[in-house]
Amino acid sequence: MLTVVLSGLRDRWASFLGGFVALALGVGLLATMGLGLSATFHAPERSPQRFASSPVVVRGQDRLTLDVRRGPDTVPVEQRLDRPQPVDDELLRELRARWTVTASGGPDAVGLDAPAAEVRALVGDRARVLTGAERAQADPDPERDARALVGLNALLGTSGGVTAFVSVFVVASTFAFAVALRRREFGLLRTAGATPGQIRRLLLGEAAVLGVLASAAGCALGALGAPVLARTLVDGGLAPAWFTIGGPSWPFHAAFWTGVTVALAGAVAASRRAGKVGPTAALREADVDADALPLGRAVLGAGLVVAGLGLLVWTCVTDPSALLKRKTYTTLPMLLITGVALLSPLLVRPAARLLRARGAVGTLVRENSAAAVRRTAAVAGPVLVTVALAGTLFGSATSVTRAKEAEAREQTAAQYVASGADLRPVAAPPGAVVSATGATSVFVRDGDEAVVKYGARAVADPAAFAELARLPVTAGDLRDLDDRSIVVSEEFERHRVGGTVEVWRADGSGPVRLRVVAVLALGTGDNGPYVTRANAPGAALDRIDARGGGAGTVRALAASGGTVRAAAERQATGSTANPRSRLGMVLVLGIALVYTVIGLANTLLMATSVRGGELASLRLAGATRAQILRVVTGEAVLAVAIGTLLGLVVTAIVLGTLGAGLAALSAPVVLALPWAQVGAAAGVCAAVAVAASMVPAWRLTR
C-alpha cells in the first residue's frame, strides 16, 4: 500500500502541489503565531527607573480592595485606581524621623535606604512597600507593556484562528475536488479488485504523507518567519520595543500535529465518498455533476448556517453591545461563512443560470458552469470566504467607527471644542456658555458578587454641561446633576431615577451614596456615568465645550493650552479607526487572500488540465482557439463572480445584524460596505483565476 501511495504522489505531484503549499504555509503561520503568542505570555522583568537607586519604595495605595461574596465565602477583590493615593504627611514624617528619604518621586511615592521589614512594620496598610523588581510599579504608566501584550495576544490569536479556519477549508476543498477528478481511476481500481477499504486507506495514506511533509516544511518556515514577525510588530507599533520571540518548542509541536490533523481531516470525507464508487459506476458516469452535494455535507452546511444565524440573532437580542467588539465581529461570522461555503454547490447552478448569455461563447460559459457544479463550487468557495471576511471585518469596523462619530456629533450643541491633556480652566466670555469635563472613574458593586470599574466623566459646571450636552437621556433630567447625584447609563440595570448608587471614587475614597438623576441609553459604549468634580478627585480637564461669544470664545479656549477646533470638525477627525486595529485586520485578510490564491490556482490548474478531450471536441466542432480560451476564462470569472455574490450576501446579513444591534442600543445606524477591500479581493481572485485557467487551456489547444 505504501508503494502505491508513494507512486501516486510522484505521478500526480502537480495535483497535490497546491494542497502541499497551502498546508505548509498554514503550518508555518501557525508556528509563527504560536511563537509570537508564547512571547506575549510573560513580559521580561523591567528594572526600576524612577527609583533605581532606592532599595525600598513607599507608594500610596493604588488599589481599591472590597469584600465580595463568592458562594458561602467572602473574599477580597482588588480594582486598580486611576492614580495612586498620595503618601500622607503624617506617614512621611514618621519615615523621615527614622530613616533618610533618599529619593522623592512626588506626592504618591518616596524612596528609602532602609530595611524593608522595618519599613513594612511601620507603614502597615497605610501604603504599599515595594522592593526589588516591584519598584518598577512606581514608574510612570507601569502597565503600558502589559496592555500592549494583551492587544498583541488578541491579534496573534485571531490571526492564528483565521489561519486554521481558512487552511482547513482550502485543504479540505482541494482534497475533495482532487478526489472528484479521480472517479474513473477509482472505478478502474474497483474493477481490478480493490475494496472500498483499500480505496479509503489509499487516500488517507496520501493525506498522511502529504501532511507530514508539508507540516515539516511549515515548521521550517515558522522558524524563519517568527523573527520577521517580531520586527514587523515592533516597527508597526503593535509591540513594545523589547519584544522578541524566544525558542519554546511547543508552538512547533502544536503546528506540526495540527497540520497532519488538518490533512487527514480534509481527506476523511473525500475518502469515504471515494470508497462508495462502484466497480463500473465511475466508467459510466457522465461529466455532469448529479450528486455534487452529499447528504452529510448538506446537513453540516445547513446546521452551520442555522447556528451562525442563530448566534447572530441571539447576540443581537441579548447583548447587542457585543456586536460592536472586534472579537465578536471577527469570529462570529465564521460559522455562517463556513455553512454557506459548504452549501455553495447547491447555490451554484441557480446562480449560473442568472447569466444572460449572448452568442455561443456566453451560452457555453453558462451551461458548462451549471453542469460542472463541483468545479464551479471549488472555485467559488475560497472566493466566498475571502470576500465575506473582507466585507464583515472591514465593514463592521468602519460601521462601528462611523456610528461613534455620528453619536459624538449628536451629543453636543457646542460650536467649539478644546481638547488635550491637563487643560487650564477658562472663564466664559460674555454671551458664551462654557462646559469643562475630564476623565475619571467610579467603582460600583454589582450586587454582592463583584466590583465593577466604570469610566466616567467629571463635570465642572453642571448648569453649563446640561445646556450644551445632547446626551441620549431615556429617563430623568441632566439639569438635576449636582454634588450629591450621578448620571448613569442603562448598564446600571439595578438603578432607576430617584434611586441611589453606592460608589467609590477614582482615588478609592468612599463609599458615597449618590442619587440617580438621569439614565442614558447605552449607545456605542461611551455613554458612561457623569459626576461632578467634587466626586472626581484628581481628575484633570481634557475637554472644554463652548457656544456663543464669537471670537472672544475662541481666544479664551486658546488660552486653555489645548487644541481648538470647530465641534463638527473635531468629531469628524477625533474618532478615526485605530490604525493598529486596521493593521491587524489587514494581516487577517492577507492570510485569507493568500490561501484563496493558492486554492484557486491549484483547483483551476487541475480542472483545466483534465479537459483535453472536451476542448478537443470543441475544436472539432468548429470553435477557434480564441473562442475556447474565452470559454475557459469566462467560466473562471463567472465562478469568481458567484463566490463574490455569495460573500456579499453573508456580509449583508452580518452588517444588517450589526445595524439592528446599533438600533437596539439607541445608537446611530451608519452601515458601510468596504467596496475598496471587497473589490480588491475579488479583483485579485479574478486575475489569478483567469491566469490559472488560461495557461493550461493554451497548452491543451496548441
Side-chain angles (χ1 to χ4, degrees), residues 347-424:
L347 307 172
V348 160
R349 186 170 283 127
R353 299 293 187 191
L354 294 176
L355 176 65
R356 293 294 180 262
R358 289 185 178 181
V361 172
T363 302
L364 281 174
V365 168
R366 183 186 64 189
E367 297 303 323
N368 285 349
S369 299
V373 172
R374 287 194 185 95
R375 182 178 68 232
T376 308
V379 174
V383 177
L384 184 160
V385 171
T386 301
V387 170
L389 283 176
T392 55
L393 283 178
F394 285 90
S396 298
T398 304
S399 298
V400 171
T401 299
R402 291 186 179 179
K404 288 180 178 290
E405 291 175 350
E407 184 179 61
R409 286 193 297 269
E410 294 173 359
Q411 290 186 357
T412 181
Q415 292 176 289
Y416 307 101
V417 175
S419 58
D422 296 324
L423 297 179
R424 294 186 293 273

Side-chain angles (χ1 to χ4, degrees), residues 511-552:
V512 294
R513 299 189 68 85
L514 301 177
R515 181 172 55 90
V516 177
V517 296
V519 178
L520 308 178
L522 286 176
T524 61
D526 295 331
N527 296 333
Y530 286 81
V531 295
T532 62
R533 289 181 63 82
N535 291 307
L541 299 180
D542 59 14
R543 173 171 172 152
I544 302 177
D545 293 51
R547 187 183 66 190

